[in-house]
Amino acid sequence: MRTSNLLWAAPLANNAIAITVDTTSADSLKNAASTVAHGLMSFYNGNDTGMTPGLLPQPYFWWEGGGMFMTMVDYWSRTGDSSYNDVITQALLFQASDNRDYMPVNQTKDEGNDDQGFWAMAAMLAAETNFQNPPPDQPQWLALAQAVFNEMATRWDISSCGGGLRWQIFQFNNGFTYKNSIANGCFFNLGARLARYTGNDTYAEWAERIWDWEEATGLIDTSYNVFDGASVTDNCTKATRLQWTYNSGIFLHGAANMFNYTKGSQTWQERTTGLLKNANIFFTNSIMEEQACETVGTCDTDQLSFKAYFTAWLAQTTALAPFTFTTIAPLLAASAKAAATACSGGNQGTTCGFKWTTSSYDGTTGIGQQMSALGAINSALIQVPQAKAVVPVTNSTGGTSIGNAAAGISAPGIGMSQAMDRSAPVETKDKVAAGFLTFAVVGGVIGGSVFMALES
């Protein structure tokens, strides 16, 4: 993903109406979510004649479309509002590309591993929630997620840092020399979820190895801080110590999936607990805050959307690792109420701002602000007893999406199992620092002519 510092200013409402929610009432939360979802989708014109399905208007980058439609799938799954389902389906299928791997020709040159990963996670959520399946001749949700996972496996880069995905796929893009937690988090998250959905342990083995690499490089430390990334120029020995909600959330959600898949592994319970405990850095008086940029007003276009994914992953974590519920539920309730209060801008008095801790509209508007508020309000439904419980399905518990374990694999006979067979685990940080090569790559050597792609 690329960065932009544009904040859209919106006129303040003359008489601030605001969206009010009773966080003990499912109907109140659903009504509020409906209002915010309508505001979010009003930014989207990809379904208009002559426009491109799935693409957001400037200044938003391609990856955020995947994030938005993932948010809208989650909205449908909790509220039952199917008003936008056909538009969601159109976007997710159009951007899948002819190769059915979320590498569309109109994006490939600039596309990064995290960008591709967000679209794949949208498809994965569609499979886990039994979102309406595409026609038989179209790409299927599970197979799309598997295709992206398999392609990421071929990009595991042993030329530096003992492994890991680079931020960018192609070496001519800025950020190619950076290995970051969000790219590897997408890979980890998909692996954990695919293991749970399919029962195939090879996905889980990859998830273990990605986690081990994050720890070995210090991108996840012993206190479960999740740092942004590190440069290959110093063999990933100096982490960029910024922390973002979506990095914490993507690993927390993946760890909860692994806890669930392993039927309560103590290791994964400890990791889930540790990540959740550390996530308190993102809350002020129980209200979510993008602490790296929000208080100083430097959040860019991408970062304005991060809270949307974090709220959703927190909510989903409670279904996968129920011991987290008592910690997460009150945080989501407080954040939903505060987010709704911040939705008092625009002519209708329901446009959402970004800062939730001020109990007022902050004067900005945009897809990220609207999506984050929707994520908070929608996710708060988990703490209402009468609300529908959303437990991700698997292929043995009612999942209907059709998969393809070989999707995305272009080299004949090469698959994720072969990748695992040709790899060895990262054992210590010293090995990483010494530059020992502890992983192998599927489909060729990744080195000076790496073929990885990502948006920056």
Side-chain angles (χ1 to χ4, degrees):
M1 62 192 63
R2 292 166 288 200
T3 59
S4 169
N5 290 314
L6 181 63
L7 286 176
W8 288 8
L12 294 171
N14 292 328
N15 297 302
I17 301 171
I19 297 173
T20 58
V21 296
D22 175 359
T23 57
T24 67
S25 165
D27 286 342
S28 177
L29 286 164
K30 288 179 181 180
N31 288 336
S34 175
T35 299
V36 178
H38 177 76
L40 173 61
M41 292 302 289
S42 70
F43 285 96
Y44 178 65
N45 60 7
N47 58 327
D48 291 347
T49 301
M51 304 304 289
T52 303
L55 294 189
L56 302 181
Q58 292 295 322
Y60 302 98
F61 298 120
W62 179 70
W63 80 273
E64 197 165 336
M68 188 183 84
F69 291 111
M70 177 170 67
T71 300
M72 291 303 297
V73 170
D74 197 45
Y75 166 74
W76 159 80
S77 75
R78 297 193 185 282
T79 66
D81 181 2
S82 60
S83 304
Y84 307 101
N85 285 12
D86 289 343
V87 175
I88 297 167
T89 298
Q90 179 194 44
L92 291 177
L93 292 179
F94 191 90
Q95 292 301 320
S97 78
D98 292 340
N99 289 330
R100 304 185 173 202
D101 61 355
Y102 288 116
M103 290 285 286
V105 293
N106 63 341
Q107 298 297 326
T108 300
K109 286 184 179 180
D110 297 323
E111 189 175 337
N113 283 301
D114 54 345
D115 306 327
Q116 188 186 28
F118 264 82
W119 284 91
M121 289 186 295
M124 190 71 229
L125 184 62
E128 292 168 332
T129 55
N130 270 338
F131 186 71
Q132 60 188 40
N133 286 316
D137 63 335
Q138 294 295 308
Q140 303 300 303
W141 307 132
L142 179 59
L144 282 166
Q146 289 171 308
V148 174
F149 178 90
N150 285 336
E151 290 182 4
M152 286 180 169
T154 71
R155 300 176 190 142
W156 189 259
D157 174 26
I158 63 171
S159 69
S160 60
C161 309
L165 291 184
R166 293 180 183 242
W167 182 18
Q168 299 297 327
I169 298 171
F170 297 112
Q171 59 185 329
F172 50 74
N173 283 326
N174 290 334
F176 180 72
T177 60
Y178 197 59
K179 294 187 176 181
N180 59 0
S181 286
I182 193 56
N184 287 280
C186 288
F187 192 19
F188 169 74
N189 188 278
L190 284 170
R193 294 164 74 177
L194 285 167
R196 181 179 178 274
Y197 192 99
T198 67
N200 186 335
D201 197 52
T202 305
Y203 293 116
E205 292 172 8
W206 266 108
E208 291 271 9
R209 279 167 164 75
I210 299 161
W211 179 278
D212 289 347
W213 179 83
E214 282 272 329
E215 282 194 330
T217 55
L219 293 183
I220 296 178
D221 71 7
T222 56
S223 297
Y224 295 96
N225 293 295
V226 184
F227 298 121
D228 187 73
S231 174
V232 303
T233 58
D234 57 17
N235 210 38
C236 299
T237 56
K238 298 177 182 177
T240 301
R241 298 178 69 84
L242 289 172
Q243 295 193 69
W244 304 104
T245 53
Y246 78 156
N247 278 337
S248 177
I250 204 167
F251 280 96
L252 173 64
H253 182 230
N257 271 275
M258 290 297 289
F259 169 80
N260 192 279
Y261 173 70
T262 57
K263 296 180 172 57
S265 156
Q266 182 178 349
T267 295
W268 285 108
Q269 181 167 350
E270 290 174 355
R271 290 169 174 172
T272 303
T273 300
L275 287 165
L276 181 56
K277 182 178 180 181
N278 184 67
N280 64 16
I281 66 173
F282 301 114
F283 293 88
T284 298
N285 296 324
S286 297
I287 298 171
M288 190 177 295
E289 189 173 53
E290 195 65 60
Q291 54 90 32
C293 63
E294 185 172 332
T295 59
V296 291
T298 58
C299 298
D300 66 26
T301 304
D302 288 345
Q303 293 153 8
L304 292 169
S305 72
F306 290 176
K307 291 189 288 188
Y309 322 126
F310 189 37
T311 52
W313 287 327
L314 284 169
Q316 292 160 24
T317 290
T318 65
L320 297 159
F323 66 86
T324 65
F325 180 86
T326 55
T327 299
I328 291 174
L331 296 174
L332 289 177
S335 294
K337 188 170 184 177
T341 301
C343 293
S344 58
N347 293 330
Q348 302 300 316
T350 56
T351 295
C352 299
F354 180 61
K355 295 181 180 180
W356 303 341
T357 56
T358 59
S359 300
S360 62
Y361 177 59
D362 65 6
T364 69
T365 185
I367 288 176
Q369 294 93 317
Q370 205 75 20
M371 195 192 328
S372 291
L374 177 58
I377 295 167
N378 190 53
S379 295
L381 282 163
I382 62 117
Q383 46 86 53
V384 181
Q386 69 266 33
K388 171 189 172 185
V390 180
V391 179
V393 299
T394 70
N395 62 9
S396 61
T397 62
T400 60
S401 188
I402 298 172
N404 176 6
I409 298 172
S410 58
I414 298 289
M416 64 174 181
S417 294
Q418 287 86 342
M420 293 300 299
D421 290 342
R422 295 161 62 180
S423 68
V426 174
E427 294 177 354
T428 67
K429 187 171 182 179
D430 289 337
K431 285 190 176 182
V432 176
F436 289 0
L437 303 182
T438 59
F439 284 85
V441 180
V442 180
V445 176
I446 297 183
S449 58
V450 182
F451 54 92
M452 303 171 64
L454 236 157
E455 214 181 314
S456 61

